[in-house]
Amino acid sequence: MSEIESSTPHEIPAQAGTPPTKRDSFTSKLGVIAATLGSAVGLGNIWKFPSMTGTNGGAAFIIIYLICTLLVSVPVMITELMLGRTARANAITTYQRLSPKKSQPWWLIGASGVLAAFLILAFYTEVAGWVFAYVAKAIGGNILSTDPEATSAVFGKLITSPGESLMWQWIVLAWISLIIILGVSKGIERMTKRLMPALFVILVIVCVRSLTLPGAIDGVEFLFKPDFSRITPGVFLAAMGLAFFKLSVGMGTMTTYGSYYGDDQDIPGSALKVMLSDLSVSILAGLAIFPAVFAFGFKPDSGPSLLFITLPAVFASMPFGQFFMILFSILAAIAATGAMLSLMEVPVSYLAERTKLNRTQATILTFVLLAAFGATAALSNSLLADVKIAGKTFFDLYDFISSSLLLPIGGFFLAVFAGWVWGYPKVRDSLSNHGVLKNEKAIKAYYQIVRYVAPVLILLVLLNGLGLIKW
Ligand code: PHE
C-alpha cells in the first residue's frame, strides 16, 4: 500500500464567538490503518482469543465469533468511525453535536464509553503489567521449566505480590501516558506504524517454530476442525462479547479515532481491512500456541493461564525456548501497547477538549486516576483477594461490567442511532465521502444490518447476559 498523504489537521467547527482551533489528526492513510489496527490487536488476540477458543471447542467457536464480528462488531465499528469523523470531536461531544434534538441524551453513549475505558484500563494494564514483567524476567533469567507446577509458581508469585503487581501496572501506565502526551500523529500514529509490522514479523517467526514441531498437526486440527456439538447459547454469547472487545467497539474508542480520520479515508474499506488483519493476528496467535501445546502434550483448555503458565512450559520443552519466550512476551507487550493507547485516548481527548486542561495535563490527570483506581484490580489477587462484589473480584467485575454490559449496550444504541435516528441520506453521504467512492451496495448492506440485524442480535445477547431470557 502506498502512503498517500491525506488531509491537513482538521479544524474544530467554530463555536459562537471563538475562533476555530487546529486539531491533531492522523496524517497518512497507512497511519490510520496502523493506529486503528493497533487498537484492535491486543491482549484480546493473544490472551482472550486462544484461551476462549481452547475452552469452547476450537474451530466451532471461531466460526460463531466470525458471524458476530461480521454482523455486529464491523457494522458498529463503521458507525463509530463515521460519527466521529463527522463531528470531529471526542466521544461525548460527538453525540452532542450529532443528536437531532439537543434534549436527547445520546451523549450518554460517549459517557458510558469513558466509564468503560476506565474499567477496561484498570484490569488491562494489570495483565499488560504481567506481560511486561515476563519480558523483563525472560531476559533477566530463566523462568522456563518443563514442569507446569514450577511455571505456575512463577506466575503465582508475581500476581500475589502487591508491590510487584502495582509496580508493573504503573510502569505500563507511565509508558502509555508518555506516548499519549506526544500527541495523535507524533505519538499514537508514529508508534503504531512502527510496532504493527514488528508484531507481524515476530508472530510469523514464533508460528513457524511452533508449526515445525513434531506432532504440531494436532494443534492445527484443533483450530480448524469444527466440532459443532460444542456450540451452545453460552458459547454464542462468549463469542459476541469477544467480538466487541476485539474490535474495540461499543465504547467510543473508534469514535475518537474516527475523529482523527482524513476526509478521503474509505471508512467501510478501512474497517474491513482492520477486521481481516486483526483476525489474521488471532489465527496466527492460535497457530503459534496450539501446535506447540499439543506437540508437548499440554492441555489446550487451561483458560487465561495458558499464556503465563502453559506457554513457558511449552517453550521450555523446545530448543531455543528462552529466546522464543522473550520474543513472544515482546509480541504481547507490543499488542497491548496499541490497544491501551486507544483506550487512554478516550478520556484524554474528552478532558483536553472539554476542560481547561491541555493534553499533557489531561494525560497526567488520567494517569493519576488510573494508578489509583487500577490498583483495586492490581491488588485483587493479593490484598483485595477476599473483597468480592456479586461473587467477583474487582478485576473480574471490571471485565464483566465493561465487556458484557457497557460494550454491548453502547453498541446497541450506536446501531439504533445510525439506523433509525441519523438516517440513510447522511449515512450514504458520509460513507461514500460525499459521493466520491462508488460503494453504494456496501453502504446499503451496512445500513440494513445496522438497522435490523445488529440491534436484535445484541439485544438477545444482553438479555441473556442479564439472565432475563434463556435460550
Ligand atoms: N481490542 C483490544 C484487544 O483485543 C482491547 C480493547 C477493547 C481496546 C476496547 C480498546 C477498546 O485487546
Side-chain angles (χ1 to χ4, degrees), residues 285-330:
L287 282 177
I289 294 173
F290 289 116
V293 166
F294 275 87
F296 294 106
F298 289 99
K299 291 223 168 336
D301 57 357
S302 57
S305 65
L306 190 69
L307 196 58
F308 298 100
I309 298 175
T310 313
L311 272 195
V314 168
F315 284 129
S317 323
M318 62 166 78
F320 306 110
Q322 180 80 3
F323 170 74
F324 283 102
M325 183 72 219
I326 296 173
L327 219 52
F328 198 88
S329 308
I330 292 177

mmCIF file of all heavy atoms in Angstrom, residues 285-330:
data_model
loop_
_atom_site.group_PDB
_atom_site.id
_atom_site.type_symbol
_atom_site.label_atom_id
_atom_site.label_comp_id
_atom_site.label_asym_id
_atom_site.label_seq_id
_atom_site.Cartn_x
_atom_site.Cartn_y
_atom_site.Cartn_z
ATOM 1 N N ALA A 285 -1.917 -16.215 16.181
ATOM 2 C CA ALA A 285 -1.625 -16.444 17.602
ATOM 3 C C ALA A 285 -2.049 -17.857 17.986
ATOM 4 O O ALA A 285 -1.328 -18.569 18.697
ATOM 5 C CB ALA A 285 -2.340 -15.417 18.476
ATOM 6 N N GLY A 286 -3.201 -18.278 17.467
ATOM 7 C CA GLY A 286 -3.655 -19.654 17.719
ATOM 8 C C GLY A 286 -2.676 -20.655 17.146
ATOM 9 O O GLY A 286 -2.357 -21.674 17.768
ATOM 10 N N LEU A 287 -2.154 -20.352 15.931
ATOM 11 C CA LEU A 287 -1.208 -21.274 15.277
ATOM 12 C C LEU A 287 0.157 -21.246 15.957
ATOM 13 O O LEU A 287 0.952 -22.163 15.822
ATOM 14 C CB LEU A 287 -1.048 -20.906 13.803
ATOM 15 C CG LEU A 287 -2.193 -21.357 12.900
ATOM 16 C CD1 LEU A 287 -1.963 -20.883 11.471
ATOM 17 C CD2 LEU A 287 -2.360 -22.870 12.931
ATOM 18 N N ALA A 288 0.447 -20.146 16.665
ATOM 19 C CA ALA A 288 1.718 -20.097 17.395
ATOM 20 C C ALA A 288 1.596 -20.895 18.690
ATOM 21 O O ALA A 288 2.564 -21.478 19.165
ATOM 22 C CB ALA A 288 2.078 -18.638 17.702
ATOM 23 N N ILE A 289 0.394 -20.922 19.249
ATOM 24 C CA ILE A 289 0.229 -21.511 20.574
ATOM 25 C C ILE A 289 -0.178 -22.996 20.526
ATOM 26 O O ILE A 289 0.502 -23.854 21.097
ATOM 27 C CB ILE A 289 -0.812 -20.704 21.383
ATOM 28 C CG1 ILE A 289 -0.265 -19.288 21.652
ATOM 29 C CG2 ILE A 289 -1.133 -21.400 22.700
ATOM 30 C CD1 ILE A 289 -1.244 -18.339 22.286
ATOM 31 N N PHE A 290 -1.285 -23.315 19.810
ATOM 32 C CA PHE A 290 -1.830 -24.667 19.941
ATOM 33 C C PHE A 290 -0.949 -25.793 19.404
ATOM 34 O O PHE A 290 -0.822 -26.825 20.065
ATOM 35 C CB PHE A 290 -3.243 -24.739 19.357
ATOM 36 C CG PHE A 290 -4.227 -24.006 20.215
ATOM 37 C CD1 PHE A 290 -4.897 -22.902 19.747
ATOM 38 C CD2 PHE A 290 -4.431 -24.390 21.539
ATOM 39 C CE1 PHE A 290 -5.777 -22.200 20.560
ATOM 40 C CE2 PHE A 290 -5.303 -23.700 22.360
ATOM 41 C CZ PHE A 290 -5.979 -22.599 21.866
ATOM 42 N N PRO A 291 -0.315 -25.646 18.216
ATOM 43 C CA PRO A 291 0.548 -26.739 17.775
ATOM 44 C C PRO A 291 1.619 -27.053 18.822
ATOM 45 O O PRO A 291 1.894 -28.219 19.118
ATOM 46 C CB PRO A 291 1.163 -26.206 16.477
ATOM 47 C CG PRO A 291 0.145 -25.252 15.968
ATOM 48 C CD PRO A 291 -0.430 -24.606 17.186
ATOM 49 N N ALA A 292 2.202 -26.008 19.430
ATOM 50 C CA ALA A 292 3.234 -26.240 20.449
ATOM 51 C C ALA A 292 2.626 -26.891 21.690
ATOM 52 O O ALA A 292 3.203 -27.816 22.276
ATOM 53 C CB ALA A 292 3.919 -24.923 20.807
ATOM 54 N N VAL A 293 1.447 -26.432 22.069
ATOM 55 C CA VAL A 293 0.784 -27.009 23.250
ATOM 56 C C VAL A 293 0.528 -28.501 23.030
ATOM 57 O O VAL A 293 0.825 -29.335 23.900
ATOM 58 C CB VAL A 293 -0.555 -26.269 23.528
ATOM 59 C CG1 VAL A 293 -1.420 -27.035 24.508
ATOM 60 C CG2 VAL A 293 -0.277 -24.868 24.068
ATOM 61 N N PHE A 294 0.033 -28.857 21.826
ATOM 62 C CA PHE A 294 -0.239 -30.265 21.540
ATOM 63 C C PHE A 294 1.052 -31.059 21.407
ATOM 64 O O PHE A 294 1.157 -32.184 21.885
ATOM 65 C CB PHE A 294 -1.084 -30.406 20.266
ATOM 66 C CG PHE A 294 -2.557 -30.260 20.522
ATOM 67 C CD1 PHE A 294 -3.164 -29.021 20.512
ATOM 68 C CD2 PHE A 294 -3.342 -31.375 20.788
ATOM 69 C CE1 PHE A 294 -4.529 -28.874 20.761
ATOM 70 C CE2 PHE A 294 -4.707 -31.251 21.039
ATOM 71 C CZ PHE A 294 -5.306 -30.000 21.026
ATOM 72 N N ALA A 295 2.052 -30.451 20.729
ATOM 73 C CA ALA A 295 3.306 -31.170 20.487
ATOM 74 C C ALA A 295 3.940 -31.629 21.800
ATOM 75 O O ALA A 295 4.580 -32.672 21.861
ATOM 76 C CB ALA A 295 4.273 -30.283 19.705
ATOM 77 N N PHE A 296 3.759 -30.846 22.854
ATOM 78 C CA PHE A 296 4.384 -31.227 24.119
ATOM 79 C C PHE A 296 3.396 -31.797 25.117
ATOM 80 O O PHE A 296 3.686 -31.924 26.310
ATOM 81 C CB PHE A 296 5.134 -30.031 24.708
ATOM 82 C CG PHE A 296 6.298 -29.636 23.849
ATOM 83 C CD1 PHE A 296 6.262 -28.495 23.069
ATOM 84 C CD2 PHE A 296 7.427 -30.444 23.783
ATOM 85 C CE1 PHE A 296 7.317 -28.164 22.246
ATOM 86 C CE2 PHE A 296 8.486 -30.116 22.956
ATOM 87 C CZ PHE A 296 8.427 -28.971 22.180
ATOM 88 N N GLY A 297 2.216 -32.150 24.613
ATOM 89 C CA GLY A 297 1.278 -32.889 25.448
ATOM 90 C C GLY A 297 0.582 -32.084 26.533
ATOM 91 O O GLY A 297 0.134 -32.640 27.532
ATOM 92 N N PHE A 298 0.477 -30.751 26.335
ATOM 93 C CA PHE A 298 -0.267 -29.962 27.323
ATOM 94 C C PHE A 298 -1.740 -29.873 26.916
ATOM 95 O O PHE A 298 -2.101 -30.188 25.792
ATOM 96 C CB PHE A 298 0.320 -28.555 27.449
ATOM 97 C CG PHE A 298 1.653 -28.547 28.128
ATOM 98 C CD1 PHE A 298 2.829 -28.486 27.385
ATOM 99 C CD2 PHE A 298 1.746 -28.627 29.508
ATOM 100 C CE1 PHE A 298 4.070 -28.503 28.012
ATOM 101 C CE2 PHE A 298 2.973 -28.637 30.144
ATOM 102 C CZ PHE A 298 4.146 -28.570 29.393
ATOM 103 N N LYS A 299 -2.542 -29.394 27.838
ATOM 104 C CA LYS A 299 -3.981 -29.307 27.557
ATOM 105 C C LYS A 299 -4.310 -27.942 26.927
ATOM 106 O O LYS A 299 -3.797 -26.925 27.369
ATOM 107 C CB LYS A 299 -4.779 -29.436 28.849
ATOM 108 C CG LYS A 299 -4.725 -30.809 29.467
ATOM 109 C CD LYS A 299 -6.124 -31.212 29.951
ATOM 110 C CE LYS A 299 -6.259 -32.654 30.323
ATOM 111 N NZ LYS A 299 -5.332 -33.588 29.732
ATOM 112 N N PRO A 300 -5.177 -27.935 25.887
ATOM 113 C CA PRO A 300 -5.478 -26.656 25.221
ATOM 114 C C PRO A 300 -6.480 -25.800 25.995
ATOM 115 O O PRO A 300 -6.697 -24.646 25.679
ATOM 116 C CB PRO A 300 -6.087 -27.091 23.892
ATOM 117 C CG PRO A 300 -6.711 -28.408 24.187
ATOM 118 C CD PRO A 300 -5.852 -29.063 25.242
ATOM 119 N N ASP A 301 -7.116 -26.378 27.008
ATOM 120 C CA ASP A 301 -8.237 -25.652 27.634
ATOM 121 C C ASP A 301 -7.927 -25.143 29.041
ATOM 122 O O ASP A 301 -8.772 -25.175 29.917
ATOM 123 C CB ASP A 301 -9.483 -26.545 27.661
ATOM 124 C CG ASP A 301 -9.219 -27.860 28.382
ATOM 125 O OD1 ASP A 301 -8.068 -28.088 28.798
ATOM 126 O OD2 ASP A 301 -10.172 -28.650 28.529
ATOM 127 N N SER A 302 -6.703 -24.662 29.239
ATOM 128 C CA SER A 302 -6.383 -24.211 30.592
ATOM 129 C C SER A 302 -6.791 -22.754 30.833
ATOM 130 O O SER A 302 -6.469 -22.175 31.862
ATOM 131 C CB SER A 302 -4.899 -24.412 30.893
ATOM 132 O OG SER A 302 -4.128 -23.730 29.954
ATOM 133 N N GLY A 303 -7.506 -22.145 29.888
ATOM 134 C CA GLY A 303 -8.056 -20.806 30.119
ATOM 135 C C GLY A 303 -6.992 -19.728 30.088
ATOM 136 O O GLY A 303 -5.944 -19.880 29.449
ATOM 137 N N PRO A 304 -7.264 -18.600 30.771
ATOM 138 C CA PRO A 304 -6.343 -17.465 30.713
ATOM 139 C C PRO A 304 -4.917 -17.796 31.153
ATOM 140 O O PRO A 304 -3.970 -17.132 30.742
ATOM 141 C CB PRO A 304 -6.964 -16.444 31.674
ATOM 142 C CG PRO A 304 -8.401 -16.816 31.744
ATOM 143 C CD PRO A 304 -8.466 -18.296 31.559
ATOM 144 N N SER A 305 -4.745 -18.836 31.972
ATOM 145 C CA SER A 305 -3.391 -19.149 32.425
ATOM 146 C C SER A 305 -2.542 -19.754 31.309
ATOM 147 O O SER A 305 -1.337 -19.939 31.455
ATOM 148 C CB SER A 305 -3.426 -20.095 33.623
ATOM 149 O OG SER A 305 -3.951 -21.326 33.236
ATOM 150 N N LEU A 306 -3.196 -20.053 30.164
ATOM 151 C CA LEU A 306 -2.484 -20.598 29.003
ATOM 152 C C LEU A 306 -1.225 -19.783 28.696
ATOM 153 O O LEU A 306 -0.152 -20.320 28.476
ATOM 154 C CB LEU A 306 -3.429 -20.566 27.802
ATOM 155 C CG LEU A 306 -3.022 -21.288 26.529
ATOM 156 C CD1 LEU A 306 -3.029 -22.788 26.733
ATOM 157 C CD2 LEU A 306 -4.009 -20.967 25.403
ATOM 158 N N LEU A 307 -1.412 -18.468 28.715
ATOM 159 C CA LEU A 307 -0.323 -17.578 28.306
ATOM 160 C C LEU A 307 0.819 -17.551 29.321
ATOM 161 O O LEU A 307 1.989 -17.552 28.951
ATOM 162 C CB LEU A 307 -0.901 -16.167 28.144
ATOM 163 C CG LEU A 307 -0.060 -15.171 27.379
ATOM 164 C CD1 LEU A 307 0.212 -15.684 25.995
ATOM 165 C CD2 LEU A 307 -0.805 -13.843 27.290
ATOM 166 N N PHE A 308 0.477 -17.510 30.594
ATOM 167 C CA PHE A 308 1.500 -17.265 31.604
ATOM 168 C C PHE A 308 2.035 -18.536 32.272
ATOM 169 O O PHE A 308 3.101 -18.528 32.865
ATOM 170 C CB PHE A 308 0.948 -16.316 32.672
ATOM 171 C CG PHE A 308 0.574 -14.974 32.120
ATOM 172 C CD1 PHE A 308 -0.745 -14.666 31.824
ATOM 173 C CD2 PHE A 308 1.550 -14.033 31.848
ATOM 174 C CE1 PHE A 308 -1.086 -13.431 31.297
ATOM 175 C CE2 PHE A 308 1.226 -12.795 31.317
ATOM 176 C CZ PHE A 308 -0.094 -12.498 31.045
ATOM 177 N N ILE A 309 1.272 -19.629 32.203
ATOM 178 C CA ILE A 309 1.716 -20.859 32.868
ATOM 179 C C ILE A 309 2.048 -21.948 31.859
ATOM 180 O O ILE A 309 3.101 -22.567 31.900
ATOM 181 C CB ILE A 309 0.632 -21.345 33.863
ATOM 182 C CG1 ILE A 309 0.428 -20.278 34.944
ATOM 183 C CG2 ILE A 309 1.022 -22.675 34.472
ATOM 184 C CD1 ILE A 309 -0.693 -20.570 35.912
ATOM 185 N N THR A 310 1.109 -22.154 30.903
ATOM 186 C CA THR A 310 1.315 -23.237 29.937
ATOM 187 C C THR A 310 2.439 -22.905 28.953
ATOM 188 O O THR A 310 3.317 -23.730 28.707
ATOM 189 C CB THR A 310 0.018 -23.502 29.149
ATOM 190 O OG1 THR A 310 -1.058 -23.579 30.087
ATOM 191 C CG2 THR A 310 0.099 -24.790 28.376
ATOM 192 N N LEU A 311 2.407 -21.670 28.402
ATOM 193 C CA LEU A 311 3.398 -21.341 27.365
ATOM 194 C C LEU A 311 4.850 -21.424 27.841
ATOM 195 O O LEU A 311 5.692 -21.980 27.134
ATOM 196 C CB LEU A 311 3.115 -19.971 26.761
ATOM 197 C CG LEU A 311 2.154 -19.944 25.583
ATOM 198 C CD1 LEU A 311 2.250 -18.608 24.873
ATOM 199 C CD2 LEU A 311 2.415 -21.076 24.600
ATOM 200 N N PRO A 312 5.176 -20.886 29.043
ATOM 201 C CA PRO A 312 6.569 -21.030 29.496
ATOM 202 C C PRO A 312 6.998 -22.499 29.576
ATOM 203 O O PRO A 312 8.140 -22.840 29.265
ATOM 204 C CB PRO A 312 6.573 -20.370 30.875
ATOM 205 C CG PRO A 312 5.460 -19.386 30.828
ATOM 206 C CD PRO A 312 4.411 -20.014 29.958
ATOM 207 N N ALA A 313 6.057 -23.363 29.946
ATOM 208 C CA ALA A 313 6.390 -24.787 29.997
ATOM 209 C C ALA A 313 6.588 -25.341 28.590
ATOM 210 O O ALA A 313 7.486 -26.153 28.337
ATOM 211 C CB ALA A 313 5.291 -25.551 30.729
ATOM 212 N N VAL A 314 5.749 -24.867 27.666
ATOM 213 C CA VAL A 314 5.887 -25.311 26.273
ATOM 214 C C VAL A 314 7.232 -24.851 25.703
ATOM 215 O O VAL A 314 7.982 -25.629 25.105
ATOM 216 C CB VAL A 314 4.728 -24.741 25.414
ATOM 217 C CG1 VAL A 314 5.007 -24.929 23.934
ATOM 218 C CG2 VAL A 314 3.413 -25.399 25.797
ATOM 219 N N PHE A 315 7.557 -23.568 25.920
ATOM 220 C CA PHE A 315 8.817 -23.038 25.397
ATOM 221 C C PHE A 315 10.014 -23.756 26.021
ATOM 222 O O PHE A 315 11.035 -23.979 25.368
ATOM 223 C CB PHE A 315 8.920 -21.527 25.647
ATOM 224 C CG PHE A 315 8.061 -20.710 24.709
ATOM 225 C CD1 PHE A 315 7.183 -19.747 25.186
ATOM 226 C CD2 PHE A 315 8.139 -20.909 23.342
ATOM 227 C CE1 PHE A 315 6.394 -19.004 24.319
ATOM 228 C CE2 PHE A 315 7.352 -20.166 22.466
ATOM 229 C CZ PHE A 315 6.472 -19.213 22.965
ATOM 230 N N ALA A 316 9.888 -24.126 27.307
ATOM 231 C CA ALA A 316 10.995 -24.819 27.975
ATOM 232 C C ALA A 316 11.287 -26.154 27.308
ATOM 233 O O ALA A 316 12.400 -26.667 27.372
ATOM 234 C CB ALA A 316 10.655 -25.029 29.452
ATOM 235 N N SER A 317 10.250 -26.709 26.656
ATOM 236 C CA SER A 317 10.427 -28.036 26.060
ATOM 237 C C SER A 317 11.016 -27.967 24.664
ATOM 238 O O SER A 317 11.183 -29.004 24.027
ATOM 239 C CB SER A 317 9.083 -28.755 25.981
ATOM 240 O OG SER A 317 8.287 -28.484 27.093
ATOM 241 N N MET A 318 11.273 -26.789 24.143
ATOM 242 C CA MET A 318 11.790 -26.735 22.771
ATOM 243 C C MET A 318 13.166 -26.065 22.711
ATOM 244 O O MET A 318 13.524 -25.298 23.601
ATOM 245 C CB MET A 318 10.799 -25.996 21.852
ATOM 246 C CG MET A 318 10.544 -24.551 22.216
ATOM 247 S SD MET A 318 9.708 -23.650 20.896
ATOM 248 C CE MET A 318 8.027 -24.144 21.038
ATOM 249 N N PRO A 319 13.922 -26.393 21.656
ATOM 250 C CA PRO A 319 15.228 -25.752 21.516
ATOM 251 C C PRO A 319 15.076 -24.234 21.407
ATOM 252 O O PRO A 319 14.098 -23.764 20.812
ATOM 253 C CB PRO A 319 15.781 -26.326 20.203
ATOM 254 C CG PRO A 319 14.896 -27.450 19.828
ATOM 255 C CD PRO A 319 13.630 -27.348 20.594
ATOM 256 N N PHE A 320 15.998 -23.492 21.970
ATOM 257 C CA PHE A 320 15.974 -22.019 21.988
ATOM 258 C C PHE A 320 14.701 -21.473 22.653
ATOM 259 O O PHE A 320 14.197 -20.415 22.299
ATOM 260 C CB PHE A 320 16.092 -21.425 20.576
ATOM 261 C CG PHE A 320 17.293 -21.922 19.820
ATOM 262 C CD1 PHE A 320 17.130 -22.775 18.735
ATOM 263 C CD2 PHE A 320 18.577 -21.559 20.208
ATOM 264 C CE1 PHE A 320 18.237 -23.257 18.039
ATOM 265 C CE2 PHE A 320 19.682 -22.032 19.506
ATOM 266 C CZ PHE A 320 19.509 -22.881 18.434
ATOM 267 N N GLY A 321 14.188 -22.233 23.602
ATOM 268 C CA GLY A 321 12.934 -21.855 24.260
ATOM 269 C C GLY A 321 12.998 -20.484 24.898
ATOM 270 O O GLY A 321 12.050 -19.700 24.806
ATOM 271 N N GLN A 322 14.126 -20.177 25.542
ATOM 272 C CA GLN A 322 14.285 -18.887 26.222
ATOM 273 C C GLN A 322 14.101 -17.738 25.228
ATOM 274 O O GLN A 322 13.396 -16.773 25.480
ATOM 275 C CB GLN A 322 15.696 -18.844 26.839
ATOM 276 C CG GLN A 322 16.014 -17.582 27.584
ATOM 277 C CD GLN A 322 15.412 -17.595 28.992
ATOM 278 O OE1 GLN A 322 14.806 -18.586 29.403
ATOM 279 N NE2 GLN A 322 15.562 -16.508 29.705
ATOM 280 N N PHE A 323 14.746 -17.911 24.071
ATOM 281 C CA PHE A 323 14.672 -16.900 23.026
ATOM 282 C C PHE A 323 13.221 -16.699 22.580
ATOM 283 O O PHE A 323 12.744 -15.572 22.442
ATOM 284 C CB PHE A 323 15.564 -17.317 21.853
ATOM 285 C CG PHE A 323 15.399 -16.478 20.625
ATOM 286 C CD1 PHE A 323 15.917 -15.191 20.581
ATOM 287 C CD2 PHE A 323 14.715 -16.966 19.519
ATOM 288 C CE1 PHE A 323 15.762 -14.411 19.446
ATOM 289 C CE2 PHE A 323 14.550 -16.192 18.382
ATOM 290 C CZ PHE A 323 15.072 -14.912 18.339
ATOM 291 N N PHE A 324 12.520 -17.806 22.384
ATOM 292 C CA PHE A 324 11.140 -17.689 21.917
ATOM 293 C C PHE A 324 10.220 -17.128 22.996
ATOM 294 O O PHE A 324 9.249 -16.437 22.699
ATOM 295 C CB PHE A 324 10.632 -19.031 21.374
ATOM 296 C CG PHE A 324 11.177 -19.307 20.010
ATOM 297 C CD1 PHE A 324 12.232 -20.191 19.828
ATOM 298 C CD2 PHE A 324 10.683 -18.629 18.906
ATOM 299 C CE1 PHE A 324 12.763 -20.408 18.568
ATOM 300 C CE2 PHE A 324 11.215 -18.836 17.643
ATOM 301 C CZ PHE A 324 12.255 -19.729 17.473
ATOM 302 N N MET A 325 10.556 -17.405 24.246
ATOM 303 C CA MET A 325 9.764 -16.832 25.349
ATOM 304 C C MET A 325 9.900 -15.306 25.348
ATOM 305 O O MET A 325 8.908 -14.582 25.492
ATOM 306 C CB MET A 325 10.257 -17.409 26.681
ATOM 307 C CG MET A 325 9.466 -16.941 27.882
ATOM 308 S SD MET A 325 7.832 -17.700 27.923
ATOM 309 C CE MET A 325 6.812 -16.350 28.474
ATOM 310 N N ILE A 326 11.134 -14.833 25.162
ATOM 311 C CA ILE A 326 11.370 -13.384 25.125
ATOM 312 C C ILE A 326 10.597 -12.770 23.950
ATOM 313 O O ILE A 326 9.885 -11.778 24.090
ATOM 314 C CB ILE A 326 12.879 -13.067 24.986
ATOM 315 C CG1 ILE A 326 13.633 -13.562 26.224
ATOM 316 C CG2 ILE A 326 13.110 -11.567 24.780
ATOM 317 C CD1 ILE A 326 15.149 -13.464 26.116
ATOM 318 N N LEU A 327 10.745 -13.441 22.786
ATOM 319 C CA LEU A 327 10.100 -12.931 21.576
ATOM 320 C C LEU A 327 8.583 -12.846 21.748
ATOM 321 O O LEU A 327 7.940 -11.844 21.420
ATOM 322 C CB LEU A 327 10.432 -13.892 20.424
ATOM 323 C CG LEU A 327 10.729 -13.293 19.070
ATOM 324 C CD1 LEU A 327 11.802 -12.231 19.175
ATOM 325 C CD2 LEU A 327 11.161 -14.385 18.090
ATOM 326 N N PHE A 328 8.020 -13.902 22.317
ATOM 327 C CA PHE A 328 6.567 -13.939 22.464
ATOM 328 C C PHE A 328 6.091 -12.880 23.466
ATOM 329 O O PHE A 328 5.062 -12.245 23.265
ATOM 330 C CB PHE A 328 6.104 -15.339 22.915
ATOM 331 C CG PHE A 328 4.645 -15.561 22.676
ATOM 332 C CD1 PHE A 328 4.192 -16.047 21.463
ATOM 333 C CD2 PHE A 328 3.704 -15.247 23.650
ATOM 334 C CE1 PHE A 328 2.837 -16.213 21.219
ATOM 335 C CE2 PHE A 328 2.342 -15.410 23.423
ATOM 336 C CZ PHE A 328 1.924 -15.906 22.201
ATOM 337 N N SER A 329 6.854 -12.677 24.534
ATOM 338 C CA SER A 329 6.450 -11.668 25.521
ATOM 339 C C SER A 329 6.523 -10.274 24.918
ATOM 340 O O SER A 329 5.657 -9.421 25.177
ATOM 341 C CB SER A 329 7.356 -11.724 26.757
ATOM 342 O OG SER A 329 7.427 -13.029 27.249
ATOM 343 N N ILE A 330 7.546 -10.023 24.099
ATOM 344 C CA ILE A 330 7.650 -8.714 23.438
ATOM 345 C C ILE A 330 6.449 -8.512 22.513
ATOM 346 O O ILE A 330 5.844 -7.442 22.467
ATOM 347 C CB ILE A 330 8.974 -8.600 22.652
ATOM 348 C CG1 ILE A 330 10.158 -8.565 23.637
ATOM 349 C CG2 ILE A 330 8.988 -7.363 21.759
ATOM 350 C CD1 ILE A 330 11.523 -8.518 22.991
#
